[in-house]
Amino acid sequence: MKQVTGTGKYELLLESCRALDPIPTAVAHPCEETALSGAIEAAAKGLITPILVGPSAKIREIARAAGIDLGATRIVDVPHSHAAAAKAVQLVREGEARLLMKGSLHSDEILGAVLAKEIGLRTGRRLSHVFIMDVPTYHKVLVVTDAAINIAPTLEDKVDICQNAIDLAVALGVKRPKVAILAAVETVNSKMPSTIDAAALCKMADRGQITGGLLDGPLAFDNAISAEAAKVKGITSEVAGDPDILLVPDLEAGNMLAKQLTFLANADSAGLVLGARVPIILTSRADSVRSRIASCAVAVMAAHAKTWSLQAAV
């Protein structure tokens, strides 16, 4: 993926999607203006073909009040948000949709349907969330994971979290994503489990248990992001100053980091859940239409990359 300084990185994602076919996308309960307009605008930009799943009358009323032209968009009528989540997952399982998008329902409703035994979208991977962030002061798109699902991930959980993020970055065009494994310090300390996990993850990558990326850690945030800070502390690293992915020690650290970048550094953020059968576009109910469209663009690239990978394996 082409990299630029400053803002405009999301626009490059959209440009990358121009040659890709739109992906059928089950949109669960788009019963709020931003959720509905985000899906419809993403369709207008050629990213997705939305299937709106929710109370039909309510969806049409929201569209009428907001001046949103639904055109010939398919609507699957279900009575409430819980039913919308279950039906949207069913559409994916049956092959009618290849992406799943959260509308205006709670995250735990849609993830509950995804994780349902036998009728959900589980795989052998653990689910994890990624924020794909356009930070004006950073020179490329930055992935932060996991800041929304795994509260206190074990080492084994972090393997899946890391691999999910690497696979996504590769789908976005990064040949060998650089992963900075964050902690409060850059040295291994037995009293700080996150530093031991970081060291173990790096060795696991050396032994092929994590593939496709270049890992380094533990790294404190300053020397992960700043090559100059790493130099001052005597750290020699191909990752320091140039990471594509920031792997955080736990959800609290990740959530605070992502929100600090958003509110203090004016970063835009897109959100996806990885590790299920298909990428899940998981945005906050307060997210802007721009963020929802960017999330769709990233999901579309990930879905196409998965299709190409499966075709290559045949």
Side-chain angles (χ1 to χ4, degrees), residues 204-226:
M204 293 170 87
D206 290 343
R207 299 289 166 84
Q209 292 172 268
I210 300 170
T211 61
L214 177 63
L215 280 61
D216 197 5
L219 290 170
F221 182 77
D222 58 345
N223 46 61
I225 290 295
S226 168

Side-chain angles (χ1 to χ4, degrees), residues 78-302:
V78 296
H80 46 66
S81 59
H82 185 73
K87 184 61 178 180
V89 166
Q90 181 185 340
L91 290 173
V92 173
R93 284 184 60 88
E94 293 175 351
E96 292 189 58
R98 290 171 51 205
L99 287 175
L100 180 62
M101 184 175 183
K102 174 192 168 189
S104 55
L105 73 175
H106 288 285
S107 295
D108 57 359
E109 285 187 274
I110 194 164
L111 292 178
V114 169
L115 292 171
K117 291 183 178 179
E118 298 182 3
I119 58 171
L121 301 174
R122 289 171 177 260
T123 68
R125 289 265 187 96
R126 187 171 185 84
L127 293 190
S128 62
H129 182 273
V130 293
F131 278 116
I132 305 96
M133 309 202 76
D134 178 355
V135 186
T137 53
Y138 194 64
H139 57 283
K140 57 183 172 180
V141 169
L142 189 62
V143 174
V144 177
T145 190
D146 179 339
I149 292 182
N150 294 282
I151 297 173
T154 64
L155 174 61
E156 289 75 18
D157 295 337
K158 289 178 181 179
V159 171
D160 281 351
I161 293 169
C162 185
Q163 192 66 65
N164 286 342
I166 290 171
D167 292 348
L168 175 67
V170 170
L172 296 181
V174 183
K175 291 184 178 179
R176 193 184 182 200
K178 297 178 180 179
V179 184
I181 308 167
L182 298 184
V185 296
E186 60 279 348
T187 53
V188 177
N189 185 328
S190 64
K191 295 180 181 179
M192 301 179 72
S194 62
T195 67
I196 297 174
D197 285 353
L201 289 167
C202 291
K203 181 52 66 177
M204 293 170 87
D206 290 343
R207 299 289 166 84
Q209 292 172 268
I210 300 170
T211 61
L214 177 63
L215 280 61
D216 197 5
L219 290 170
F221 182 77
D222 58 345
N223 46 61
I225 290 295
S226 168
E228 182 60 30
K231 182 179 178 182
V232 168
K233 293 194 175 182
I235 298 170
T236 301
S237 170
E238 294 182 63
V239 173
D242 192 41
D244 300 286
I245 298 164
L246 299 179
L247 182 66
V248 300
D250 56 36
L251 183 145
E252 288 184 307
N255 193 272
M256 285 187 277
L257 172 58
K259 288 179 178 177
Q260 285 167 352
L261 291 173
T262 298
F263 290 98
L264 292 179
N266 296 319
D268 286 319
S269 64
L272 286 187
V273 172
L274 307 171
R277 290 192 187 184
V278 298
I280 302 165
I281 303 163
L282 191 76
T283 51
S284 167
R285 284 173 290 168
D287 279 348
S288 66
V289 170
R290 172 179 163 82
S291 289
R292 292 174 189 272
I293 291 171
S295 299
C296 288
V298 175
V300 165
M301 294 180 74

Side-chain angles (χ1 to χ4, degrees), residues 4-14 134 136 141 268 290:
V4 295
T5 301
T7 57
K9 305 179 189 75
Y10 282 176
E11 285 67 26
L12 290 177
L13 286 176
L14 293 176
D134 178 355
V141 169
D268 286 319
R290 172 179 163 82

